[in-house]
Amino acid sequence: MTAITPALVKEHGLSEDEYARILQLMNREPTLVELGIFSVMWSEHCSYKSTRVHLAKLPTKASWVIQGPGENAGVIDIGDGDACIFKMESHNHPSFIEPYQGAATGVGGIMRDVFTMGARPIAMMNALRFGEPSHPKTRHLVSGVVSGIGGYGNCMGVPTVGGEVNFHKSYNGNILVNAMCVGLAKANKIFLSAAKGAGNPVVYVGSKTGRDGIHGATMASAEFDDASEEKRPTVQVGDPFTEKLLLEACLELMATDAIIAIQDMGAAGLTSSSAEMGDKGGSGIELDLDKVPQREANMTAYEMMLSESQERMLAVLKPGREAEAERIFRKWELDFAVIGITTDTKRLVVKHKGRMEADMPITALSDEAPKYSRPYAEQPVAVGFENAPSLPKRDILKSLKQIMGSPDMCSRRWVWEQYDTSVMADTVQHPGGDAAVVRVHGTKKGLAITTDVTPRYCLANPFEGAKQAVAEAWRNITAVGARPLAVTDNLNYGNPQKPEIMAQIVRSIDGIGEACRALDFPVIGGNCSLYNETNGEGILPTPAIGGVGLMQDVARMATVAFRRVGDAVLLIGDTRGHLGQSIYLREIEGREEGAAPPVHLPSEKRNGDFVRKLIEGGRVTTVHDVSDGGLLVALAEMALAGDVGVDVGVAGTTVETVPFFFGEDQARYVVAASAEEIDKIEGELRTANIVHAIIGKTIASKVVRVEREGEIALSELRAAHEGWFPRFMSEELPLTN
C-alpha cells in the first residue's frame, strides 16, 4: 500500500490545508486512489474553487432559458418545440504541449458535452490565441492547432463556421484554444446528468480506457515552466471516427426511454462523471473496475479512475434495459459494459480485483470542495487617448493598408479553408462576416453564432473590457439580423493566487454580469481556465464570450458585403475618436497603451435594436458593426467582401481625420442601402434620437476613396489583407506588410 507523504500530496496539487480538510472529511488517511480522486475533483479545472463565489453573481435566467449553468451544456428554447444546446470550453495547456491532439480532443470533448444533452451538433466555433509571429514556436503551434480542429470536426461531419485568431507576446508560452459547439434537440427531449434512484445499472460506453490523459485536469490547473513539454503523456489522444459512432449510438439510445442520466467522461474521466452524476442525483455510485473495458494490460484502479481517454460516456439506465442498450452500442461497434450500480448511500465506492480502493462521501467531492474568496488588489485602469490626441500626421490610406495586412487584422482565409464549413448543408453565412448563421434544418429559422473578446481592452480595464466582449458578441449577432439570446463564457486568466490576477477575474465577471443584464443576454454555461502562465508570466486577461441568437427567416439575413453601386453609406452611433488601446495606435504608432473604450450599454441596446428592426423588415441587407481598427477598416472590409468601391468623407464632424476613421468607439454600425431608403431611415433615427451620419456612397471604381486623402485600389488592399497568413505559414520571412 502506497504511503501518503507530504511530497505525494504536493505532487497531486493539493495544499496542506486542503489535505487537512480531506483527513477531516474522511476521518482517516485516504488511499492512493482516493487521493487521486480528490486531486482531480478539487482541482481548479473541475471545482472552480477560485471563481465559484464570483460566478454566482452572473445573470443566468430568462423565459427562454431551459437549462442554465450546472449541466454539461446550457439550453435555450428557440420555438416550435426546438432547443439550442451550446457551450464553450478550453483545451489550452494540452494544445501547447501537443497542438494537434490538444486541439482535436478539445473539439471532441465539447461535442460530447453537447450531444450528451440529447442534441445533434450542428456547428463549431473556436477562439485561438497564439504568441508573437516571430516566436520560434508560433508557426508550429498554429499549424498543429488548426489541423487538429479541422481534422476532428471534419471527420465528425460538423461544420466549423467561424471564430477568432489573434497573436500577442503574452501567449508565447501559453496559447489559448477555446472550442464552442452548438447543437439542436427537441425541447422535451433534454437529457441531464442527475443519477436519481438506487439499484439502477451504471453503464460504460464508447472506447476502451487507456493510460492517456492521466492527471490532465491537474495539469490544466497548474502553471507551465520550461519543463512543461515533459507533460506530453497527460495529453489525450482523440479518434473522431469512434466519436462519430458514439454520437449516433447515443442519439439512437436517447430515442428510447431507457436513460435515467448520461454524462460525458471529460476532465477527470470516470471519476468526475460518476461523482457528478451521483451528486446531482442525490445518490451513491458503486463501481467495479474489473468490468471497465481496457486497452492496456495491468491497469491499476488509480489509472482507470483518472484516465482521460477520449470518446467515452457513462450512463444510468432503467433496470432491465441493459440488453436493449447493449444491442445499440454493439451495432455501432462500440464497447458496452455494466460497471456499477446506483445506491442510496451518497458514497462513491470503487472496487478492483477484490479490493476496496475507494469509499468516500460524494458530497466531499462536490459541496465540500474548496471555495475560496481569494484576496484581490485592484490595479489602476489605463488612461489616455480617450479623445483626439496629438499624433504625427500620416497618410491614412497607407495606414489602412498596413493595418489590413497586420497579423491581427488580416484575412483568416488560410485558417477556415482547412475546415469544412458547409457539411450538413445548413451553413447560411460562412466565415468572414460578423457572425456565422446556420439554418435550423428544415425550417426558415437560423442560429447566429459568434465568439468575441478584445484582450488588450481587458488588460487596460478588466471591467470595461469584459463589458465590451459581451457587447461585441451582441452587436455581431444583431448585425446579421438575429436576436441575441444567451452566452457561454470561457474565462482565461493567469494565476488566481496573485491578487492582481484575481482582481482581473473579479472585475471581468462583474463587467460580464452588468452587460448581460443590460442586454438581456443571460449566461447559460461556461468554463474557467486559470493558471495560464509560464515562468510567472501570465497571459492577457481573455474572457472569451460565445453568443447565440435566433433569426426567424434566414432569407432576410444581412452580410457585410456592399452589394450595389450607388448605395448610400450610413454610420449609426456616436464617433468621438477613441484611440486608446486601438489597432491604429499599436500597428502604426507602435504604442500599446491608453484607456479601453467605454461601453455605454443603453446606447448598445438602442442602436442595436434599431438596426435589427431594419434587417428583420427587409429594408437593409448590408450591415457591419465597427470594432477592431475602427470605421475605415470596417468600410474596407465591406468593399472587399462585395468587390464594390466606396467613397467617404468626414463632413459635419469635429473629430480629426485619424481618430474619426481609426477610433474604436463602441455601439456603432455601418449600413448601406438605396439613397431613398437611407433618407427614410435617417428620419427614424432622428425621431429615436440616435446619433448618425451619412458618410458616403458605393461607387463603380474598385477603390476605397477618402475625401481630401486620395484613394487606394481594392486589389492593393486585398493583396495585403489576404497575403499575410499564407506568407507566414509558408515561412516566407521577414514578415513585412
Side-chain angles (χ1 to χ4, degrees):
M1 189 169 178
T2 304
I4 308 299
T5 64
L8 188 63
V9 170
K10 186 176 181 181
E11 187 181 317
H12 279 74
L14 294 162
S15 70
E16 291 181 12
D17 288 344
E18 287 170 349
Y19 185 64
R21 178 70 176 145
I22 289 169
L23 293 177
Q24 182 183 13
L25 289 167
M26 296 290 288
N27 201 26
R28 59 172 170 79
E29 187 177 84
T31 65
L32 178 62
V33 173
E34 290 168 339
L35 183 69
I37 289 172
F38 272 114
S39 78
V40 292
M41 293 302 293
W42 283 18
S43 69
E44 192 73 63
H45 190 74
C46 290
S47 74
Y48 292 3
K49 55 191 173 186
S50 298
T51 54
R52 288 199 336 261
V53 169
H54 302 287
L55 293 172
K57 298 182 285 187
L58 292 173
T60 60
K61 298 186 185 326
S63 60
W64 55 89
V65 174
I66 296 172
Q67 176 64 56
E71 271 294 339
N72 289 291
V75 187
I76 54 174
D77 189 335
I78 58 170
D80 307 307
D82 297 322
C84 173
I85 299 178
F86 66 96
K87 192 181 181 186
M88 182 159 54
E89 284 240 359
S90 61
H91 232 218
N92 303 335
H93 286 48
S95 298
F96 182 78
I97 295 170
E98 213 301 298
Y100 184 94
Q101 290 295 349
T105 52
V107 170
I110 195 63
M111 282 197 198
R112 288 194 303 279
D113 279 340
V114 166
F115 75 72
T116 193
M117 302 283 292
R120 179 173 292 279
I122 61 161
M124 294 294 301
M125 277 259 180
N126 52 75
L128 312 176
R129 263 89 197 176
F130 299 101
E132 295 168 293
S134 59
H135 190 275
K137 284 187 178 180
T138 298
R139 185 183 290 107
H140 162 71
L141 291 168
V142 172
S143 177
V145 165
V146 171
S147 296
I149 291 169
Y152 209 102
N154 296 354
C155 291
M156 284 291 293
V158 179
T160 300
V161 294
E164 299 178 281
V165 184
N166 291 115
F167 299 88
H168 191 273
K169 63 184 178 182
S170 77
Y171 307 108
N172 280 347
N174 198 126
I175 65 172
L176 301 184
V177 176
N178 296 169
M180 179 178 174
C181 181
V182 179
L184 285 175
K186 289 301 177 184
N188 61 352
K189 290 286 282 185
I190 306 299
F191 290 83
L192 305 180
S193 58
K196 295 178 180 177
N200 301 317
V202 177
V203 300
Y204 171 120
V205 299
S207 290
K208 289 179 169 61
T209 294
R211 291 187 170 94
D212 50 324
I214 293 171
H215 274 306
T218 309
M219 177 195 71
S221 306
E223 295 179 31
F224 275 167
D225 55 31
D226 292 332
S228 288
E229 294 213 9
E230 296 172 8
K231 296 178 180 177
R232 195 176 299 272
T234 63
V235 178
Q236 311 93 324
V237 177
D239 179 357
F241 299 105
T242 299
E243 177 129 336
K244 174 63 173 171
L245 300 177
L246 183 61
L247 164 64
E248 299 301 339
C250 285
L251 292 179
E252 185 172 335
L253 181 61
M254 288 166 172
T256 73
D257 65 346
I259 298 174
I260 293 173
I262 186 166
Q263 171 96 347
D264 160 44
M265 287 194 222
L270 189 53
T271 287
S272 63
S273 56
S274 57
E276 289 173 8
M277 290 173 81
D279 177 58
K280 289 174 185 174
S283 65
I285 288 188
E286 187 173 305
L287 301 176
D288 182 354
L289 300 187
D290 294 346
K291 297 177 180 177
V292 170
Q294 300 161 53
R295 68 166 185 259
E296 298 185 48
N298 303 315
M299 288 192 72
T300 65
Y302 181 96
E303 291 170 331
M304 281 187 274
M305 289 302 291
L306 270 59
S307 167
E308 294 187 9
S309 294
Q310 296 293 286
E311 293 86 41
R312 302 179 302 158
M313 310 281 275
L314 199 65
V316 176
L317 303 180
K318 294 177 181 177
R321 307 298 291 272
E322 299 93 324
E324 178 185 0
E326 183 169 8
R327 278 195 300 274
I328 291 171
F329 283 92
R330 297 294 183 201
K331 181 185 82 170
W332 290 99
E333 300 180 346
L334 295 165
D335 278 288
F336 177 96
V338 179
I339 66 166
I341 193 166
T342 60
T343 68
D344 59 4
T345 64
K346 296 188 179 181
R347 298 185 74 81
L348 176 62
V349 174
V350 179
K351 298 176 181 177
H352 185 227
K353 294 184 177 178
R355 288 175 54 95
M356 182 76 73
E357 295 285 358
D359 183 357
M360 51 208 307
I362 279 183
T363 53
L365 305 174
S366 53
D367 299 350
E368 299 293 342
K371 186 191 290 187
Y372 296 131
S373 293
R374 295 198 187 277
Y376 57 94
E378 297 275 6
Q379 303 298 299
V381 298
V383 296
F385 300 96
E386 290 92 340
N387 299 307
S390 178
L391 290 172
K393 175 70 175 171
R394 300 190 190 277
D395 184 323
I396 71 164
L397 293 171
K398 285 184 179 177
S399 296
L400 173 65
K401 179 183 173 182
Q402 185 173 335
I403 288 170
M404 294 293 284
S406 66
D408 271 7
M409 297 301 295
C410 69
S411 168
R412 271 72 178 120
R413 184 180 301 278
W414 181 92
V415 175
W416 79 60
E417 284 186 344
Q418 298 187 55
Y419 306 148
D420 190 332
T421 62
S422 301
V423 65
M424 303 179 85
D426 280 318
T427 306
V428 183
Q429 185 157 167
H430 290 259
D434 283 323
V437 180
V438 179
R439 184 193 310 271
V440 176
H441 190 71
T443 75
K444 292 182 176 181
K445 295 187 299 188
L447 293 172
I449 311 163
T450 186
T451 59
D452 295 287
V453 66
T454 309
R456 64 185 185 276
Y457 294 172
C458 297
L459 180 66
N461 187 329
F463 181 74
E464 287 296 321
K467 279 170 59 181
Q468 192 276 339
V470 174
E472 174 75 4
W474 196 86
R475 275 201 306 274
N476 281 331
I477 291 168
T478 294
V480 298
R483 176 191 168 207
L485 289 180
V487 305
T488 177
D489 57 38
N490 206 143
L491 308 181
N492 306 273
Y493 296 88
N495 184 346
Q497 296 178 55
K498 295 179 177 178
E500 65 274 18
I501 301 296
M502 196 64 215
Q504 292 175 351
I505 296 169
V506 173
R507 296 301 286 148
S508 292
I509 291 172
D510 289 345
I512 291 169
E514 181 165 307
C516 287
R517 276 185 287 271
L519 299 173
D520 212 6
F521 205 23
V523 181
I524 63 167
N527 172 247
C528 293
S529 175
L530 308 185
Y531 296 95
N532 288 291
E533 298 199 2
T534 298
N535 295 326
E537 292 294 318
I539 62 164
L540 293 180
T542 311
I545 300 295
V548 172
L550 179 64
M551 185 181 299
Q552 292 299 335
D553 185 354
V554 295
R556 292 194 168 182
M557 174 185 74
T559 68
V560 303
F562 288 137
R563 298 175 186 238
R564 295 172 299 273
V565 171
D567 275 356
V569 178
L570 175 69
L571 173 62
I572 295 176
D574 194 8
T575 298
R576 299 187 178 186
H578 186 101
L579 284 174
Q581 296 299 327
S582 66
I583 290 288
Y584 180 90
L585 199 62
R586 187 180 75 191
E587 296 297 331
I588 306 303
E589 301 298 339
R591 301 168 70 174
E592 202 167 328
E593 57 186 280
V599 180
H600 186 248
L601 292 167
S603 295
E604 292 283 2
K605 186 82 167 61
R606 184 175 63 250
N607 297 1
D609 287 347
F610 184 93
V611 169
R612 188 184 316 104
K613 188 176 177 183
L614 294 178
I615 301 169
E616 289 174 340
R619 299 174 64 188
V620 298
T621 55
T622 296
V623 179
H624 193 9
D625 88 305
V626 181
S627 55
D628 269 358
L631 174 60
L632 196 56
V633 167
L635 291 166
E637 289 170 343
M638 298 170 85
L640 289 173
D643 201 28
V644 173
V646 64
D647 185 349
V648 294
V650 294
T653 180
T654 59
V655 180
E656 293 178 18
T657 303
V658 165
F660 181 80
F661 280 118
F662 294 108
E664 296 182 8
D665 304 279
Q666 301 296 296
R668 295 187 297 163
Y669 301 81
V670 177
V671 173
S674 69
E676 295 78 14
E677 187 61 53
I678 291 295
D679 278 345
K680 295 175 189 173
I681 292 170
E682 260 213 300
E684 294 163 21
L685 285 163
R686 281 192 289 270
T687 300
N689 199 28
I690 294 174
V691 177
H692 63 280
I694 295 175
I695 58 171
K697 62 183 178 180
T698 56
I699 56 176
S701 298
K702 295 190 176 184
V703 298
V704 172
R705 182 182 297 149
V706 180
E707 183 184 3
R708 296 194 298 275
E709 299 288 338
E711 64 185 40
I712 185 169
L714 294 187
S715 58
E716 190 176 346
L717 280 178
R718 193 181 307 279
H721 189 53
E722 299 277 358
W724 186 87
F725 240 112
R727 192 166 74 247
F728 173 59
M729 296 310 295
S730 64
E731 305 187 36
E732 292 180 20
L733 299 174
L735 297 167
T736 56
N737 296 318

